[in-house]
């Protein structure tokens, strides 16, 4: 076994790899960019090396610096995690040329799966079913159209070099084929430098079922059963589970055998996933699954397999990379119970799942109810530089329903404030009746998007709780305190009006009366607070006392009050009495980033005269361009950004000279 490995990644996966390495007595070296110097993955490792500035292209994608760091630290092997360099065969070869071991498959196996057409051809040869279609070399448009007509519409055009859903076009009618082909070829050329396409039959209401495979360097290969990842949004997985609902032993054997054949055909070693698309229009049938692609790395969702198989896949990766044979044979592997994983992200479902940023003022994840694989801690800032994943919540139960109830319970017990998240969205999805019944397909989320992604619902007493938080009255009153607290007696018997700006941006006033410590009246309700094991509970009009967390903090824009009520967190701003004047001045003198994103162009320099409405800056966020325009006539005083800069939401990018 290795004495020391370098982990060429960040976030939850780097932390998770370090955890297994420590359990095995293997020392770890972290790599990090300059903004990640204090990140959890650095803390999780024994040593750390700085490899460059924040942009991944200058740090986590710099194979040369990572290899140099491994050599300098005396590491014997490099674990790539997922993403970044994990599926880059040139990196694998460079690692090996430096005399180090790559903890993953051989470069040739990665290359064999790199292009969709070559991968499909290799799989067909190995006897693995592939989606019916054309994946040959001939690219003449008329020829491809003739193939599409034969396959029958709808068809899917895929750029062979495509990934992440790019370069794919669904075509419903023959007359739309040629323009769609041109678009897919153009996208393939623009994004991947390769315009060649393949044509596939479109599978209606498909399910995404993938098989975990493992190979060793002695010719051994096994599968560790399936995961169902049908709950997707724009081809991104949201909740994954193992086993797949409705899976039969016959189908599992057929899919497992096909996946092992796929792995053997390309000389696979290490952890890999063979992704299949399943035509489930008539249930799961062994003749209705088709190879889609193979991911030649550890997957984000590997913990659901670990939960049901009772194994540590990172331990297997290390053992196999160190030259050991696979720890278990196929006949020794069993599925025990059911597992789910939910991906918790800093993003705003109500605004098209736009990535969110911000400081996590509170992040309490229920480690007592679920396995939590987190890459950030309370107090950390979510920046626009990297993937906005906060954590993966993984639960295991004896059967699907027990696991599902545990998932809901864990999501409802999480407490997050300071950044918008998809927590409430996940909790609603976990409670959805179709999901509960195991009726999953890749279109489920889109069909119910409006109800799933609506902002969290507020209880009638939430504004009153926000007012209590805004005044800091939830902080435990010292014992004899009521009389001693200066200020209280003055207004204790009277009402105090608390002005708040709600999560919807609307201003409201709450008339709050303190009746006694921890007892308040507001908006026609009486609220009693109590504390148990350091957790606050609130009872309304003598009803059951339910857990709630109240917080107050200040940031650059002023004071914020937060009410964390299960997965629903609402944040309220206290209007600054001087704000109306400030606001005009700020709005009139500055251009701030409306969202986190990339600065594409800056059209002005200090000293330039501008007219109201002139374009000043172009930003790109969510793959769309946004123009920031001059709020009034004036002269540019300062420019605080340059093209290529990543900026946070609210960052002031440009100021105008004050008006006389
Ligand atoms: P990418 O490499 O861009 O992620 P994939 O080939 O993995 O592309 O496909 C992405 C997703 O598109 C799949 O998870 C599935 O939901 C959908 N998809 C792919 N092929 C088909 C098909 N033939 N019919 C219907 N949906 C498909």
């Amino acid at each position: 076994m290795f004495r020391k490995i370098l982990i060429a990644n960040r976030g939850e996966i780097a932390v998770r790899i370090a955890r297994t390495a420590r359990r095995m007595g293997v020392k770890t070296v972290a790599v990090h960019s300059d903004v990640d110097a204090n990140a959890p993955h650095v803390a999780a490792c024994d040593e750390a090396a700085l490899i460059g500035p924040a942009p991944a292209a200058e740090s986590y994608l710099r194979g040369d610096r990572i290899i140099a760091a491994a050599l300098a630290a005396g590491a014997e092997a490099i674990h790539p995690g997922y993403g970044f360099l994990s599926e880059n065969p040139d990196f694998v070869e460079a690692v090996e040329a430096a005399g180090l071991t790559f903890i993953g498959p051989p470069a040739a196996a990665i290359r064999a799966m790199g292009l969709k057409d070559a991968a499909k051809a290799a799989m067909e040869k190995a006897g693995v079913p592939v989606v019916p279609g054309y994946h040959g070399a001939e690219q003449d448009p008329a020829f491809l159209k003739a193939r599409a007509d034969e396959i029958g519409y709808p068809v899917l055009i895929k750029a062979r070099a495509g990934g992440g859903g790019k370069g794919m076009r669904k075509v419903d009618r023959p007359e739309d084929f040629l323009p769609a082909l041109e678009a897919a070829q153009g996208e393939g050329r623009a994004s991947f430098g390769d315009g060649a396409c393949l044509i596939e039959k479109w599978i209606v209401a498909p399910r995404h079922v993938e098989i975990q495979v493992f190979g060793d360097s002695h010719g051994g290969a096994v599968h560790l059963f399936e995961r169902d990842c049908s709950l997707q949004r724009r081809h991104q997985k949201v909740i994954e589970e193992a086993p797949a609902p409705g899976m039969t032993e016959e189908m599992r054997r057929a899919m497992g055998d096909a996946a092992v054949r796929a792995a053997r055909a390309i000389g696979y070693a290490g952890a890999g996933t063979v992704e299949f698309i399943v035509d489930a229009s008539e249930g799961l049938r062994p003749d209705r699954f088709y190879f889609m692609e193979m991911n030649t790395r550890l997957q984000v969702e590997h913990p659901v397999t670990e939960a049901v198989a009772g194994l540590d896949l990172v331990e297997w990766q290390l053992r196999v990379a160190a030259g050991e044979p696979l720890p278990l044979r196929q006949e020794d592997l069993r599925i025990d119970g059911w597992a789910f994983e939910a991906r918790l992200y800093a993003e705003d479902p109500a605004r098209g799942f736009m990535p969110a940023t911000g400081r996590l003022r509170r992040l309490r994840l229920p480690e007592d109810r679920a396995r939590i694989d987190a890459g950030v801690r309370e107090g950390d800032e979510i920046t626009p530089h990297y993937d906005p994943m906060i954590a993966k919540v993984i639960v295991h139960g004896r059967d699907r329903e027990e696991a599902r109830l545990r998932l809901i319970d864990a999501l409802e017990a999480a407490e997050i404030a300071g950044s918008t998240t998809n927590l409430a969205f996940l909790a609603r999805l976990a409670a959805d009746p179709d999901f509960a019944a195991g009726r999953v397909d890749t279109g489920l989320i889109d069909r119910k998007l409006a109800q799933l992604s609506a902002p969290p619902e507020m209880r009638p007493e939430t504004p009153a709780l926000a007012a209590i938080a805004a005044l800091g009255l939830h902080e435990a009153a010292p014992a004899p305190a009521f009389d001693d607290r200066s200020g209280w007696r003055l207004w204790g018997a009277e009402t105090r009006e608390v002005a708040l700006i709600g999560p919807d941006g609307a201003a409201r006033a709450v008339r709050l009366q303190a009746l006694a410590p921890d007892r308040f009246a507001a908006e026609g309700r009486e609220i009693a607070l109590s504390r148990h094991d350091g957790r606050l509970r609130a009872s309304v009009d003598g009803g059951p006392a339910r857990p709630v967390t109240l917080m107050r903090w200040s940031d650059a824009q002023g004071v914020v009050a937060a009410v964390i009520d299960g997965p629903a967190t609402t944040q309220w701003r206290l209007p600054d009495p001087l704000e109306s004047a400030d606001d005009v001045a700020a709005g009139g003198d500055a251009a701030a980033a409306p969202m986190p994103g990339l600065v594409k162009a800056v059209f002005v320099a200090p000293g330039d005269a501008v007219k109201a409405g002139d374009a000043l800056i172009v930003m790109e966020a969510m793959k769309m361009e946004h123009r920031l325009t001059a709020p009034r006539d004036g002269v540019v005083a300062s420019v605080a950004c340059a093209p290529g800069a990543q900026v946070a939401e609210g960052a002031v990018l440009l100021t105008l000279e004050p008006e006389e």
Side-chain angles (χ1 to χ4, degrees):
M1 184 44 62
F2 310 111
R3 299 290 314 280
K4 192 191 263 190
I5 62 169
L6 180 141
I7 302 170
N9 216 297
R10 66 180 304 284
E12 66 86 16
I13 192 63
V15 173
R16 185 257 167 277
I17 294 164
R19 194 181 305 136
T20 290
R22 176 153 304 168
R23 186 172 59 67
M24 295 173 70
V26 175
K27 293 237 179 304
T28 50
V29 184
V31 291
H32 65 90
S33 66
D34 51 13
V35 293
D36 271 347
N38 297 311
H41 79 275
V42 174
C45 291
D46 298 301
E47 294 170 39
L50 172 67
I51 48 165
E58 295 169 47
S59 48
Y60 296 103
L61 288 169
R62 284 294 299 265
D64 54 341
R65 292 194 189 149
I66 290 168
I67 291 168
L71 293 171
E76 302 148 72
I78 296 183
H79 194 309
Y82 53 71
F84 296 131
L85 293 166
S86 60
E87 292 180 283
N88 181 330
D90 297 337
F91 178 65
V92 178
E93 282 166 356
V95 169
E96 286 165 356
L100 302 168
T101 301
F102 180 75
I103 303 175
I110 300 178
R111 284 211 177 91
M113 290 296 175
L115 291 175
K116 290 181 197 294
D117 56 353
K120 274 184 85 170
M123 291 302 103
E124 237 176 355
K125 218 174 123 211
V128 178
V130 300
V131 185
Y134 176 76
H135 45 266
E138 177 65 61
Q139 290 293 309
D140 173 56
F143 174 86
L144 291 178
K145 164 123 191 335
R147 299 290 79 71
D149 293 347
E150 274 167 27
I151 296 163
Y153 294 85
V155 297
L156 189 62
I157 306 174
K158 287 184 180 177
R160 67 169 181 180
K166 266 201 183 158
M168 290 203 317
R169 284 284 185 294
K170 180 185 176 206
V171 186
D172 292 303
R173 305 175 307 173
E175 55 268 39
D176 299 333
F177 182 84
L178 289 173
L181 176 67
E182 210 169 296
Q185 288 171 331
E187 235 172 86
R189 266 193 302 272
S191 300
F192 311 102
D194 182 349
C197 288
L198 50 153
I199 316 295
E200 280 186 359
K201 181 170 181 51
W202 174 260
I203 311 281
V204 183
R207 280 173 60 176
H208 174 121
V209 180
E210 57 186 35
I211 304 284
Q212 175 73 54
V213 292
F214 238 103
D216 64 22
S217 52
H218 308 278
V222 295
H223 71 84
L224 288 90
F225 318 111
E226 78 278 5
R227 294 184 287 260
D228 192 309
C229 310
S230 299
L231 288 185
Q232 301 183 355
R233 227 201 96 254
R234 291 205 199 135
H235 307 312
Q236 303 290 318
K237 297 164 185 169
V238 178
I239 295 181
E240 302 100 339
E241 61 184 298
M247 181 58 89
T248 61
E249 263 319 311
E250 187 193 10
M251 173 102 168
R252 175 173 294 135
R253 199 169 322 109
M255 293 187 78
D257 288 350
V260 169
R261 273 203 303 282
R264 285 191 192 282
I266 58 166
Y268 203 78
T273 295
V274 184
E275 294 190 339
F276 293 101
I277 188 167
V278 176
D279 172 356
S281 51
E282 294 170 63
L284 297 185
R285 289 178 36 173
D287 58 346
R288 299 273 179 93
F289 69 88
Y290 311 101
F291 170 86
M292 242 186 336
E293 66 177 341
M294 179 166 185
N295 293 314
T296 51
R297 53 167 157 81
L298 191 67
Q299 300 268 91
V300 175
E301 61 273 22
H302 75 275
V304 293
T305 297
E306 295 186 320
V308 295
L311 298 169
D312 181 333
L313 296 194
V314 172
E315 177 182 340
W316 277 43
Q317 286 188 297
L318 295 189
R319 292 199 181 288
V320 164
E324 294 180 26
L326 288 169
L328 292 173
R329 292 167 307 174
Q330 192 68 57
E331 54 270 30
D332 300 327
L333 292 160
R334 298 263 174 288
I335 298 181
D336 168 32
W338 213 283
F340 288 105
E341 172 186 278
R343 301 187 185 194
L344 183 56
Y345 279 101
E347 62 182 15
D348 190 350
R351 289 166 73 199
F353 293 83
M354 176 147 18
T357 54
R359 187 169 299 286
L360 291 166
R361 303 282 170 169
R362 193 163 183 97
L363 179 63
R364 301 288 163 89
L365 299 173
E367 311 248 3
D368 56 334
R369 300 168 200 228
R371 168 176 166 185
I372 306 291
D373 283 14
V376 290
R377 297 160 299 210
E378 185 167 288
D380 285 348
E381 177 112 21
I382 305 278
T383 72
H385 298 297
Y386 309 111
D387 181 74
M389 184 193 275
I390 295 174
K392 305 186 305 203
V393 178
I394 304 122
V395 294
H396 183 226
R398 271 173 304 188
D399 54 29
R400 192 171 187 272
E401 186 59 2
E402 184 177 271
R404 192 182 69 90
L405 292 178
R406 288 191 169 146
L407 179 64
I408 297 174
D409 182 49
L411 293 170
E412 289 184 344
E415 295 177 43
I416 310 176
S419 179
T420 308
T421 73
N422 66 344
L423 182 62
F425 168 80
L426 292 174
R428 282 190 196 133
L429 187 54
D432 176 82
D434 284 322
F435 175 64
R439 286 190 297 269
V440 293
D441 69 78
T442 58
L444 184 144
I445 291 181
D446 272 341
R447 287 195 297 275
K448 305 187 177 200
L449 196 58
Q451 73 195 77
L452 291 172
S453 63
E457 271 153 50
M458 233 190 263
R459 292 176 192 274
E461 69 272 20
T462 304
L465 291 168
I468 294 170
L471 297 179
L473 298 177
H474 57 288
E475 285 146 19
F482 195 53
D483 286 348
D484 299 345
R485 262 199 155 168
S486 62
W488 271 55
R489 293 188 75 189
L490 283 178
W491 59 275
E494 296 170 21
T495 51
R496 177 149 160 195
E497 189 137 308
V498 185
L500 295 167
I501 298 167
D504 53 357
R508 62 196 294 164
V510 177
R511 294 167 70 82
L512 183 72
Q513 188 179 15
L515 305 172
D518 286 340
R519 272 188 57 224
F520 306 90
E523 302 191 319
R525 295 183 185 82
E526 208 178 299
I527 296 176
L529 301 181
S530 55
R531 288 170 188 76
H532 299 275
D533 302 329
R535 281 219 60 187
L536 198 65
R537 291 183 188 180
S539 149
V540 179
D541 292 333
R546 298 180 320 104
V548 65
T549 299
L550 304 183
M551 294 180 71
R552 184 175 68 153
W553 68 81
S554 21
D555 60 17
Q557 282 97 49
V559 178
V560 180
V563 180
I564 305 175
D565 185 353
T569 295
T570 51
Q571 290 183 192
W572 308 70
R573 287 208 165 265
L574 274 68
D576 182 331
L578 301 173
E579 197 184 47
S580 39
D582 276 0
D583 210 26
V584 175
D589 282 346
M595 64 201 67
L598 179 74
V599 175
K600 297 282 281 189
V602 179
F603 299 123
V604 291
D608 288 356
V610 295
K611 289 218 168 319
D614 282 359
L616 304 176
I617 290 170
V618 175
M619 280 184 62
E620 188 189 86
M622 299 288 295
K623 304 197 169 77
M624 295 202 322
E625 295 205 334
H626 305 267
R627 278 150 46 98
L628 308 190
T629 55
R632 61 166 168 83
D633 295 359
V635 174
V636 175
S638 67
V639 176
C641 64
Q646 278 286 350
V647 295
E649 180 175 348
V652 173
L653 304 181
L654 180 147
T655 61
L656 299 181
E657 284 180 357
E659 281 174 305
E660 290 86 58

